[in-house]
Coordinates of all heavy atoms in Angstrom, one line a residue:
M146 N 6.9 83.5 40.6 CA 6.0 84.0 41.7 C 6.8 84.6 42.8 O 7.9 84.2 43.1 CB 5.2 82.8 42.3 CG 4.1 82.3 41.5 SD 3.2 81.2 42.6 CE 1.8 80.9 41.6
N147 N 6.2 85.7 43.3 CA 7.0 86.3 44.4 C 6.6 85.6 45.7 O 5.7 84.8 45.8 CB 6.6 87.8 44.5 CG 5.2 88.1 44.8 OD1 4.5 87.3 45.3 ND2 4.8 89.3 44.5
G148 N 7.3 85.9 46.8 CA 7.1 85.3 48.0 C 5.7 85.4 48.6 O 5.2 84.5 49.2
L149 N 5.1 86.6 48.4 CA 3.8 86.8 49.0 C 2.8 85.9 48.3 O 1.9 85.3 49.0 CB 3.4 88.3 48.8 CG 2.0 88.7 49.4 CD1 2.0 88.4 50.9 CD2 1.7 90.1 49.1
K150 N 2.8 85.8 47.0 CA 1.9 84.9 46.3 C 2.1 83.4 46.7 O 1.1 82.7 46.9 CB 2.0 85.0 44.8 CG 1.2 86.1 44.2 CD 1.3 86.0 42.7 CE 0.3 87.0 42.1 NZ 0.3 87.0 40.6
V151 N 3.3 83.0 46.8 CA 3.6 81.6 47.2 C 3.0 81.4 48.6 O 2.4 80.4 48.9 CB 5.1 81.4 47.2 CG1 5.4 80.0 47.8 CG2 5.6 81.4 45.8
T152 N 3.2 82.4 49.5 CA 2.7 82.2 50.9 C 1.1 82.1 50.8 O 0.5 81.3 51.5 CB 3.1 83.4 51.7 OG1 4.5 83.5 51.7 CG2 2.6 83.3 53.1
K153 N 0.5 83.0 50.0 CA -1.0 82.9 49.9 C -1.5 81.6 49.3 O -2.5 81.1 49.8 CB -1.5 84.1 49.0 CG -1.4 85.4 49.7 CD -2.5 85.4 50.8 CE -2.5 86.8 51.5 NZ -3.4 86.8 52.6
V154 N -0.7 81.1 48.3 CA -1.1 79.8 47.7 C -1.0 78.7 48.8 O -1.9 77.9 48.9 CB -0.2 79.5 46.5 CG1 -0.5 78.0 46.1 CG2 -0.5 80.4 45.4
R155 N 0.1 78.7 49.6 CA 0.2 77.7 50.6 C -0.9 77.9 51.7 O -1.4 76.9 52.2 CB 1.6 77.8 51.3 CG 2.7 77.3 50.4 CD 4.0 77.4 51.2 NE 5.1 77.2 50.2 CZ 6.3 77.8 50.3 NH1 6.5 78.7 51.2 NH2 7.2 77.5 49.4
E156 N -1.2 79.1 52.0 CA -2.2 79.4 53.0 C -3.6 78.8 52.6 O -4.3 78.2 53.3 CB -2.3 80.9 53.2 CG -3.1 81.4 54.4 CD -3.0 82.9 54.5 OE1 -1.9 83.4 54.7 OE2 -4.1 83.5 54.4
C157 N -3.9 79.1 51.3 CA -5.1 78.6 50.8 C -5.1 77.1 50.7 O -6.2 76.4 51.0 CB -5.4 79.2 49.4 SG -5.8 80.9 49.4
A158 N -4.0 76.5 50.4 CA -3.9 75.0 50.3 C -4.1 74.4 51.7 O -4.8 73.4 51.8 CB -2.6 74.6 49.7
L159 N -3.6 75.0 52.7 CA -3.7 74.5 54.0 C -5.2 74.6 54.5 O -5.7 73.8 55.2 CB -2.8 75.3 55.0 CG -1.3 75.0 54.9 CD1 -0.5 75.9 55.8 CD2 -1.0 73.5 55.2
R160 N -5.9 75.6 54.1 CA -7.3 75.8 54.4 C -8.2 74.9 53.6 O -9.4 74.8 53.8 CB -7.7 77.3 54.3 CG -7.2 78.1 55.4 CD -7.9 79.5 55.4 NE -8.2 80.0 54.1 CZ -7.9 81.2 53.6 NH1 -7.2 82.0 54.4 NH2 -8.2 81.6 52.5
G161 N -7.6 74.4 52.5 CA -8.4 73.5 51.7 C -9.2 74.2 50.6 O -10.2 73.7 50.1
C162 N -8.8 75.4 50.2 CA -9.5 76.1 49.2 C -8.6 76.4 48.0 O -7.4 76.4 48.2 CB -10.2 77.4 49.7 SG -9.0 78.7 50.2
C163 N -9.1 76.7 46.9 CA -8.3 77.0 45.7 C -7.9 78.5 45.9 O -8.6 79.3 46.4 CB -9.2 76.9 44.5 SG -8.4 77.5 43.0
Y164 N -6.7 78.8 45.4 CA -6.1 80.1 45.4 C -7.0 81.1 44.7 O -7.3 82.2 45.2 CB -4.7 80.1 44.8 CG -4.1 81.5 44.8 CD1 -3.7 82.1 45.9 CD2 -3.8 82.1 43.6 CE1 -3.0 83.3 46.0 CE2 -3.2 83.4 43.6 CZ -2.8 83.9 44.8 OH -2.2 85.2 44.7
M165 N -7.6 80.7 43.6 CA -8.5 81.6 42.8 C -9.8 81.8 43.6 O -10.5 82.8 43.4 CB -8.8 81.0 41.4 CG -7.6 81.1 40.5 SD -6.9 82.7 40.3 CE -8.2 83.5 39.4
A166 N -10.2 80.8 44.4 CA -11.5 81.0 45.2 C -11.3 82.1 46.2 O -12.3 82.6 46.7 CB -11.9 79.7 45.8
C167 N -10.1 82.4 46.6 CA -9.9 83.4 47.6 C -9.8 84.8 47.1 O -9.7 85.8 47.8 CB -8.6 83.1 48.4 SG -8.6 81.6 49.3
W168 N -9.8 84.9 45.8 CA -9.6 86.3 45.2 C -10.7 87.3 45.5 O -10.4 88.5 45.7 CB -9.4 86.2 43.7 CG -10.6 86.0 42.8 CD1 -11.1 84.8 42.4 CD2 -11.5 87.0 42.3 NE1 -12.2 85.0 41.7 CE2 -12.5 86.4 41.6 CE3 -11.5 88.4 42.4 CZ2 -13.5 87.1 41.0 CZ3 -12.5 89.1 41.7 CH2 -13.5 88.4 41.0
P169 N -12.0 86.9 45.8 CA -12.9 88.0 46.2 C -12.5 88.7 47.5 O -12.6 89.9 47.6 CB -14.2 87.2 46.3 CG -14.1 86.1 45.3 CD -12.7 85.7 45.5
S170 N -12.1 87.9 48.4 CA -11.7 88.5 49.7 C -10.4 89.3 49.6 O -10.3 90.4 50.2 CB -11.5 87.4 50.8 OG -10.4 86.5 50.4
R171 N -9.5 88.9 48.7 CA -8.3 89.7 48.4 C -8.7 91.0 47.7 O -8.1 92.1 48.0 CB -7.3 88.9 47.6 CG -6.6 87.8 48.4 CD -5.4 87.3 47.7 NE -5.5 87.1 46.3 CZ -6.0 86.1 45.6 NH1 -6.4 85.0 46.3 NH2 -6.0 86.1 44.3
M172 N -9.7 91.0 46.8 CA -10.1 92.2 46.1 C -10.8 93.2 47.1 O -10.5 94.3 47.0 CB -11.2 91.8 45.0 CG -10.5 91.2 43.8 SD -9.5 92.4 42.9 CE -10.7 93.4 42.2
R173 N -11.6 92.7 48.0 CA -12.2 93.5 49.0 C -11.2 94.2 49.8 O -11.3 95.4 50.2 CB -13.2 92.8 49.8 CG -14.6 92.5 49.1 CD -15.6 91.9 50.1 NE -15.2 90.7 50.7 CZ -15.4 89.5 50.1 NH1 -16.0 89.4 48.9 NH2 -15.1 88.4 50.8
A174 N -10.2 93.4 50.2 CA -9.1 94.0 51.0 C -8.4 95.1 50.3 O -8.0 96.1 50.8 CB -8.2 92.9 51.5
G175 N -8.2 94.8 49.0 CA -7.5 95.8 48.1 C -8.3 97.1 48.0 O -7.8 98.2 47.9
L176 N -9.6 97.0 47.9 CA -10.5 98.1 47.8 C -10.5 99.0 49.0 O -10.7 100.2 49.0 CB -11.9 97.7 47.4 CG -12.1 97.1 46.0 CD1 -13.5 96.7 45.8 CD2 -11.7 98.2 44.9
R177 N -10.3 98.3 50.2 CA -10.3 99.0 51.4 C -8.9 99.7 51.7 O -8.8 100.6 52.5 CB -10.6 98.1 52.6 CG -12.0 97.7 52.7 CD -12.3 97.0 54.0 NE -11.5 95.8 54.2 CZ -11.8 94.6 53.9 NH1 -13.0 94.3 53.3 NH2 -11.0 93.6 54.1
D178 N -7.9 99.3 50.9 CA -6.6 99.8 51.1 C -6.6 101.3 50.7 O -6.9 101.6 49.6 CB -5.6 99.0 50.3 CG -4.1 99.4 50.5 OD1 -3.9 100.2 51.5 OD2 -3.3 99.0 49.7
E179 N -6.2 102.2 51.6 CA -6.2 103.6 51.3 C -4.9 104.2 51.2 O -4.7 105.4 51.3 CB -7.1 104.3 52.4 CG -8.5 103.9 52.4 CD -9.4 104.7 53.4 OE1 -8.8 105.5 54.1 OE2 -10.6 104.4 53.4
R180 N -3.8 103.4 51.1 CA -2.5 104.0 50.9 C -2.4 104.7 49.6 O -3.0 104.2 48.6 CB -1.4 102.9 50.9 CG -1.2 102.2 52.3 CD -0.2 101.1 52.2 NE -0.8 100.1 51.4 CZ -0.2 99.0 51.0 NH1 1.0 98.8 51.4 NH2 -0.8 98.0 50.3
G181 N -1.8 105.9 49.6 CA -1.7 106.6 48.3 C -2.9 107.6 48.1 O -2.9 108.4 47.2
Q182 N -3.9 107.5 48.9 CA -5.1 108.3 48.8 C -4.7 109.8 49.0 O -5.2 110.7 48.2 CB -6.2 107.9 49.7 CG -7.5 108.7 49.6 CD -8.5 108.3 50.6 OE1 -8.3 107.3 51.3 NE2 -9.6 109.0 50.7
G183 N -3.9 110.1 50.0 CA -3.5 111.5 50.3 C -2.7 112.1 49.1 O -2.9 113.2 48.7
T184 N -1.9 111.3 48.5 CA -1.1 111.7 47.4 C -2.0 112.1 46.2 O -1.8 113.1 45.6 CB -0.1 110.6 47.0 OG1 0.7 110.3 48.1 CG2 0.8 111.1 45.8
T185 N -3.0 111.3 46.0 CA -3.9 111.5 44.9 C -4.7 112.8 45.1 O -4.9 113.6 44.2 CB -4.9 110.3 44.7 OG1 -4.1 109.2 44.5 CG2 -5.8 110.6 43.6
E186 N -5.1 113.0 46.4 CA -5.9 114.2 46.7 C -5.0 115.5 46.5 O -5.5 116.5 46.0 CB -6.4 114.1 48.1 CG -7.5 113.1 48.3 CD -7.9 112.9 49.7 OE1 -7.1 113.4 50.6 OE2 -8.8 112.2 50.0
Y187 N -3.7 115.4 46.9 CA -2.8 116.5 46.7 C -2.6 116.8 45.2 O -2.5 117.9 44.8 CB -1.5 116.3 47.4 CG -1.6 116.6 48.9 CD1 -1.3 115.6 49.9 CD2 -2.0 117.8 49.4 CE1 -1.4 115.8 51.2 CE2 -2.1 118.0 50.8 CZ -1.8 117.1 51.7 OH -1.9 117.3 53.0
A188 N -2.5 115.7 44.4 CA -2.2 115.9 43.0 C -3.4 116.6 42.4 O -3.3 117.5 41.5 CB -2.0 114.5 42.3
I189 N -4.6 116.2 42.8 CA -5.9 116.8 42.2 C -5.9 118.3 42.7 O -6.2 119.2 41.8 CB -7.1 116.1 42.7 CG1 -7.2 114.7 42.0 CG2 -8.4 116.9 42.4 CD1 -8.2 113.8 42.6
L190 N -5.6 118.6 43.9 CA -5.6 119.9 44.4 C -4.6 120.8 43.6 O -4.9 121.9 43.2 CB -5.2 120.0 45.9 CG -5.2 121.3 46.6 CD1 -6.6 122.0 46.5 CD2 -4.7 121.2 48.0
V191 N -3.4 120.3 43.4 CA -2.4 121.1 42.7 C -2.8 121.3 41.2 O -2.7 122.4 40.7 CB -1.0 120.3 42.7 CG1 0.0 120.9 41.7 CG2 -0.4 120.4 44.1
G192 N -3.5 120.3 40.6 CA -4.0 120.5 39.3 C -5.1 121.6 39.2 O -5.1 122.4 38.3
V193 N -5.9 121.6 40.2 CA -7.0 122.6 40.2 C -6.4 124.0 40.4 O -6.8 125.0 39.7 CB -8.0 122.3 41.3 CG1 -8.9 123.5 41.6 CG2 -8.8 121.1 41.0
L194 N -5.4 124.1 41.3 CA -4.7 125.4 41.5 C -4.0 125.9 40.2 O -4.0 127.1 39.9 CB -3.7 125.3 42.6 CG -4.4 125.1 44.0 CD1 -3.3 124.9 45.1 CD2 -5.3 126.3 44.3
V195 N -3.4 125.0 39.5 CA -2.7 125.3 38.2 C -3.7 125.9 37.2 O -3.5 126.9 36.5 CB -1.9 124.1 37.7 CG1 -1.5 124.4 36.2 CG2 -0.7 123.9 38.5
V196 N -4.9 125.2 37.1 CA -5.9 125.6 36.2 C -6.4 127.0 36.6 O -6.6 127.9 35.7 CB -7.1 124.6 36.1 CG1 -8.3 125.2 35.4 CG2 -6.6 123.3 35.5
I197 N -6.6 127.3 37.9 CA -7.1 128.6 38.3 C -6.0 129.6 38.0 O -6.3 130.7 37.6 CB -7.4 128.5 39.8 CG1 -8.6 127.7 40.1 CG2 -7.5 129.9 40.4 CD1 -8.9 127.4 41.5
A198 N -4.7 129.3 38.2 CA -3.7 130.3 38.0 C -3.6 130.6 36.5 O -3.5 131.8 36.1 CB -2.3 129.7 38.4
I199 N -3.7 129.6 35.6 CA -3.7 129.9 34.2 C -4.9 130.8 33.8 O -4.8 131.7 33.0 CB -3.7 128.5 33.4 CG1 -2.4 127.9 33.6 CG2 -4.0 128.7 31.9 CD1 -2.3 126.4 33.1
L200 N -6.1 130.4 34.3 CA -7.3 131.3 34.0 C -7.1 132.7 34.5 O -7.5 133.6 33.8 CB -8.5 130.6 34.6 CG -9.0 129.3 33.9 CD1 -10.2 128.7 34.7 CD2 -9.4 129.6 32.5
A201 N -6.6 132.9 35.7 CA -6.4 134.2 36.2 C -5.4 135.0 35.3 O -5.6 136.2 35.1 CB -5.8 134.1 37.6
I202 N -4.3 134.4 34.9 CA -3.3 135.1 34.1 C -4.0 135.4 32.7 O -3.8 136.5 32.2 CB -2.1 134.2 33.9 CG1 -1.3 134.1 35.2 CG2 -1.2 134.7 32.8 CD1 -0.2 133.1 35.2
A203 N -4.8 134.5 32.2 CA -5.4 134.8 30.9 C -6.4 135.9 31.0 O -6.5 136.8 30.1 CB -6.1 133.5 30.4
V204 N -7.2 136.0 32.1 CA -8.2 137.0 32.2 C -7.6 138.4 32.5 O -8.0 139.4 32.0 CB -9.2 136.6 33.3 CG1 -10.1 137.7 33.7 CG2 -10.0 135.4 32.9
F205 N -6.6 138.4 33.4 CA -6.0 139.7 33.9 C -4.7 140.1 33.1 O -4.1 141.0 33.5 CB -5.7 139.6 35.4 CG -6.9 139.4 36.2 CD1 -7.2 138.2 36.9 CD2 -7.9 140.4 36.3 CE1 -8.3 138.1 37.7 CE2 -9.1 140.2 37.0 CZ -9.3 139.1 37.7
R206 N -4.4 139.5 32.0 CA -3.2 139.8 31.3 C -3.1 141.3 30.9 O -2.1 141.9 31.1 CB -3.1 138.9 30.0 CG -1.8 139.2 29.2 CD -1.6 138.2 28.2 NE -1.1 137.1 28.9 CZ -0.4 136.1 28.3 NH1 -0.2 136.1 27.0 NH2 0.1 135.1 28.9
P207 N -4.2 141.9 30.3 CA -4.1 143.3 29.9 C -3.8 144.2 31.2 O -2.9 145.1 31.1 CB -5.4 143.6 29.3 CG -6.0 142.3 28.9 CD -5.5 141.3 29.9
K208 N -4.4 143.9 32.3 CA -4.2 144.8 33.5 C -2.8 144.5 34.0 O -2.1 145.5 34.5 CB -5.2 144.4 34.6 CG -6.6 144.9 34.2 CD -6.7 146.4 34.3 CE -8.1 146.9 34.1 NZ -8.2 148.3 34.0
L209 N -2.3 143.3 34.0 CA -1.0 143.0 34.4 C 0.1 143.7 33.5 O 1.1 144.2 34.0 CB -0.7 141.5 34.4 CG -1.4 140.7 35.5 CD1 -1.3 139.2 35.3 CD2 -0.9 141.1 36.9
Q210 N -0.2 143.7 32.2 CA 0.7 144.4 31.3 C 0.8 145.9 31.6 O 1.8 146.5 31.5 CB 0.3 144.1 29.8 CG 1.3 144.6 28.8 CD 2.6 143.9 28.9 OE1 2.7 142.7 29.1 NE2 3.7 144.6 28.9
E211 N -0.4 146.5 31.8 CA -0.4 147.9 32.2 C 0.3 148.2 33.4 O 1.1 149.2 33.5 CB -1.9 148.4 32.3 CG -2.7 148.5 31.1 CD -4.1 148.9 31.4 OE1 -4.4 149.5 32.4 OE2 -5.0 148.6 30.5
L212 N 0.1 147.4 34.4 CA 0.9 147.6 35.7 C 2.4 147.4 35.5 O 3.1 148.2 36.0 CB 0.3 146.5 36.7 CG 1.0 146.5 38.1 CD1 0.7 147.9 38.8 CD2 0.5 145.4 38.9
W213 N 2.8 146.4 34.7 CA 4.2 146.2 34.4 C 4.8 147.4 33.7 O 5.9 147.8 34.1 CB 4.3 144.9 33.6 CG 5.8 144.5 33.4 CD1 6.5 144.7 32.3 CD2 6.6 143.9 34.4 NE1 7.8 144.3 32.5 CE2 7.9 143.7 33.8 CE3 6.5 143.5 35.7 CZ2 9.0 143.1 34.4 CZ3 7.5 142.9 36.3 CH2 8.8 142.7 35.7
D214 N 4.1 147.9 32.7 CA 4.6 149.1 32.0 C 4.7 150.3 32.9 O 5.7 151.1 32.8 CB 3.6 149.4 30.8 CG 3.7 148.3 29.7 OD1 4.7 147.6 29.7 OD2 2.8 148.2 28.9
A215 N 3.7 150.5 33.8 CA 3.8 151.6 34.7 C 5.0 151.5 35.7 O 5.7 152.5 36.0 CB 2.5 151.7 35.5
I216 N 5.2 150.3 36.2 CA 6.4 150.1 37.0 C 7.7 150.3 36.3 O 8.6 151.0 36.8 CB 6.4 148.6 37.6 CG1 5.2 148.5 38.6 CG2 7.7 148.3 38.3 CD1 4.9 147.1 39.1
A217 N 7.8 149.8 35.0 CA 9.0 150.0 34.2 C 9.2 151.5 33.9 O 10.4 151.9 34.0 CB 8.9 149.2 32.9
S218 N 8.2 152.2 33.6 CA 8.4 153.6 33.3 C 8.8 154.4 34.6 O 9.5 155.3 34.5 CB 7.1 154.2 32.6 OG 6.1 154.2 33.5
G219 N 8.2 154.0 35.7 CA 8.6 154.6 37.0 C 10.0 154.4 37.3 O 10.7 155.3 37.8
I220 N 10.5 153.2 37.1 CA 11.9 152.9 37.4 C 12.8 153.6 36.4 O 13.9 154.2 36.8 CB 12.2 151.3 37.3 CG1 11.5 150.6 38.5 CG2 13.6 151.0 37.3 CD1 11.5 149.1 38.4
N221 N 12.4 153.7 35.1 CA 13.2 154.4 34.2 C 13.3 155.9 34.4 O 14.2 156.6 34.0 CB 12.7 154.1 32.7 CG 13.0 152.7 32.3 OD1 14.0 152.1 32.8 ND2 12.2 152.2 31.4
G222 N 12.2 156.4 35.1 CA 12.2 157.9 35.4 C 13.1 158.3 36.6 O 13.2 159.5 36.9
L223 N 13.6 157.3 37.3 CA 14.5 157.6 38.4 C 15.8 158.2 38.0 O 16.6 158.2 37.5 CB 14.7 156.4 39.3 CG 13.4 156.0 40.1 CD1 13.7 154.7 40.8 CD2 12.9 157.0 41.0

C-alpha cells in the first residue's frame, strides 16, 4: 500500500467507518478532478486538424500537382 492509501485507511478508522464505505465520496471527488482536461482537449483539437489536413491534401492533390509542375517548369526556364 502506498502512503496515501494507508493515511486514508487510518482516517476512516478514526472516524469509525470502513475504508470501502468511504469509496463513494472518493469516487465523486475523482469525477470532479479536472487535471489533464486541457491536455485532452488539445489532443482532440490536434486530431481534428490532422484529419482536416489529410482531407484537404486528398481533395486538392491534382491542383497542387499542377501548381508544383508550373513552379518547377518556371524555375527550369530561368
Side-chain angles (χ1 to χ4, degrees):
M146 280 188 171
N147 64 20
L149 182 60
K150 273 191 173 176
V151 171
T152 304
K153 285 291 186 185
V154 170
R155 286 184 190 142
E156 190 177 301
C157 287
L159 289 174
R160 286 195 323 233
C162 68
C163 173
Y164 180 68
M165 291 304 292
C167 294
W168 76 268
S170 62
R171 289 194 322 271
M172 284 294 287
R173 283 192 298 276
L176 291 175
R177 286 191 305 265
D178 187 12
E179 294 184 358
R180 290 178 293 176
Q182 180 179 356
T184 304
T185 304
E186 290 171 352
Y187 282 121
I189 291 169
L190 180 63
V191 168
V193 168
L194 291 176
V195 166
V196 169
I197 290 171
I199 290 171
L200 288 173
I202 290 171
V204 169
F205 296 113
R206 178 170 285 199
K208 290 288 183 187
L209 290 172
Q210 189 63 43
E211 288 177 25
L212 178 63
W213 186 260
D214 291 339
I216 292 171
S218 66
I220 290 174
N221 289 335
L223 292 176

